[in-house]
Amino acid sequence: MTHSLRRTLPAHLRVRRDVAVVVDERTVAEPDIVVVGAEAENVVVLAVEVLPSDADESEPHPYEEAGVTHLWRVEEDTETERPMVYVHEWDPASHSYALTGVHREELTVQVPYRISVDLTGIDHL
């Protein structure tokens, strides 16, 4: 996933792993991967959380306090045993994250930048 995010990364952004995101005064989240501004690494554009197969999480983490507009939740598709990605985008009208898609074989999005990830690639590792 990190390689796929970096492959088409615009010059004004950077991909980082294991970076703490301050959600509010008392809460710090640690997504698995983040896309941040190259000049201001405290500006998180995308947070990616990879959840274990036994995780019980149906709602995205409240990254809105940190100003994160794009959130991906990666889980294992129990039928194919491949990654399945839930893509969420902050909706200012409803003041919550909206699910914009569930991707099973290929993840292709235009925001926060043009990204394409072959989710079946795990078969070749």
Side-chain angles (χ1 to χ4, degrees):
M1 183 67 70
T2 303
H3 174 72
S4 295
L5 289 170
R6 285 186 175 138
R7 194 177 32 161
T8 56
L9 191 70
H12 70 281
L13 297 173
R14 298 286 182 263
V15 175
R16 301 286 185 248
R17 295 183 47 111
D18 303 318
V19 172
V21 175
V22 177
V23 175
D24 60 34
E25 291 179 359
R26 292 180 240 163
T27 308
V28 175
E30 294 186 28
D32 296 286
I33 305 168
V34 294
V35 174
V36 297
E39 297 296 318
E41 290 206 357
N42 62 330
V43 177
V44 179
V45 176
L46 167 66
V48 180
E49 290 193 337
V50 180
L51 301 178
S53 57
D54 61 349
D56 182 25
E57 184 161 333
S58 58
E59 292 295 319
H61 196 282
Y63 286 103
E64 66 270 9
E65 295 292 326
V68 178
T69 54
H70 301 278
L71 175 62
W72 295 357
R73 198 175 76 238
V74 182
E75 298 179 6
E76 180 182 338
D77 183 336
T78 56
E79 291 181 22
T80 64
E81 297 182 346
R82 290 185 183 138
M84 178 170 58
V85 181
Y86 293 85
V87 175
H88 302 270
E89 187 171 346
W90 178 251
D91 177 12
S94 67
H95 300 285
S96 64
Y97 283 103
L99 179 65
T100 60
V102 179
H103 304 265
R104 288 183 170 81
E105 291 189 13
E106 184 173 336
L107 165 65
T108 302
V109 296
Q110 302 302 313
V111 290
Y113 59 95
R114 185 182 195 106
I115 304 167
S116 183
V117 180
D118 176 10
L119 298 173
T120 66
I122 198 166
D123 295 342
H124 309 290
L125 294 177

